[in-house]
Structures are given as C-alpha cells and as structure tokens.
C-alpha cells in the first residue's frame, strides 16, 4: 500500500457562506459546487469540502466540530507580502514568522484563524 497525495479534506463550519467568503477573499481559493449543490474550496490539486454543522453529509467524522482543524498551507508568495495582504483584509496574525518543519523540510510560517477559529498556518519552504 502506498498513498500518493491528499485529494480533499472536510471542514465542519458554522456558516458555509462565511467560510467561502474568507477562504476566497483572504486565501485566494476557488469556490466549487459539486454533487447535489455541495460546496468546496479548490486550491492547487486539492480541495476542502464543507459541511455545515448539523447538516453533515454521511459518512462524516465521529465528532464534527467547527474550529477543531489545524491546517498548514504552502504558498510561493513571500510571507512579507502575505502579511501585507492579510493586514489589508483585516486579518489578525496570531504568530509569525517562525521556523517550522514541514513534510519535505524546513518552513517559515505565520499563523491566523478562520471564521470558525480553525488554526491556519501559511508557510514558505525555507531556503536550505
């Protein structure tokens, strides 16, 4: 058995509309509609599917809870520019710029929260 990559993950959110507004405006993701009107957010070769709390699609996580996720998203945009963009969007940076370790090596990261309180780490791969 060998896993190639992550295709999608699911976030349980309080408001699909508020989540889409944040992730498209602040993080530049693309809103997608699929299935019978389900909503998601596409970026690169991955997708975040959205479940509104109390209206999850079966099967779903054992304890779907808004604000319980901790995601690390890579960007090629320099973090200084990302921080300027976040400030223009009125988004508070919780921590950063700090060294971290990613799946393939060192990262430099900043942290913020989405409308549900999920922790979002935005990172650049560090130069070796």
């Amino acid at each position: 058995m060998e896993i190639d990559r992550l295709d999608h993950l699911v976030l349980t959110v309080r408001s699909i509309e508020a989540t889409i507004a944040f992730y498209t405006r602040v993080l530049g993701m693309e809103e997608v509609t699929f299935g019978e009107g389900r909503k998601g957010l596409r970026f690169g070769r991955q997708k975040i599917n959205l479940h509104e709390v109390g209206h999850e699609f079966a099967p779903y996580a054992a304890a779907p809870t808004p604000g319980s996720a901790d995601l690390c998203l890579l960007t090629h945009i320099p973090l200084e520019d990302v921080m300027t963009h976040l400030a223009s969007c009125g988004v508070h940076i919780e921590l950063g710029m700090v060294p971290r370790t990613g799946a393939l090596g060192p990262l430099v990261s900043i942290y913020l929260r989405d409308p549900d309180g999920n922790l979002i780490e935005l990172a650049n791969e560090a130069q070796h």
Side-chain angles (χ1 to χ4, degrees):
M1 174 61 149
E2 181 178 325
I3 303 299
D4 181 48
R5 67 182 172 96
L6 178 69
D7 180 77
H8 71 277
L9 59 89
V10 176
L11 281 183
T12 300
V13 301
R14 288 182 188 87
S15 166
I16 288 178
E17 294 77 22
T19 299
I20 288 171
F22 177 85
Y23 281 81
T24 57
R25 179 178 62 91
V26 175
L27 300 180
M29 294 185 184
E30 174 192 2
E31 176 184 351
V32 294
T33 303
F34 62 99
E36 295 180 13
R38 292 186 58 191
K39 294 290 185 175
L41 298 153
R42 186 175 335 188
F43 61 101
R45 295 173 56 193
Q46 289 76 228
K47 184 172 65 149
I48 298 172
N49 290 345
L50 302 174
H51 286 185
E52 197 161 77
V53 68
H55 302 284
E56 296 84 5
F57 291 90
Y60 52 84
T65 307
S68 63
D70 181 342
L71 308 174
C72 178
L73 304 170
L74 298 178
T75 180
H76 66 277
I77 306 296
L79 287 184
E80 294 83 359
D81 296 342
V82 171
M83 293 168 69
T84 299
H85 170 71
L86 293 172
S88 75
C89 292
V91 175
H92 171 72
I93 297 170
E94 195 159 303
L95 177 66
M97 299 172 31
V98 293
R100 294 293 187 250
T101 302
L104 299 179
L107 303 174
V108 178
S109 301
I110 61 174
Y111 292 84
L112 56 121
R113 297 213 179 252
D114 75 2
D116 287 300
N118 292 306
L119 186 62
I120 307 297
E121 178 182 351
L122 301 177
N124 289 154
E125 293 178 312
Q127 304 302 317
H128 300 22

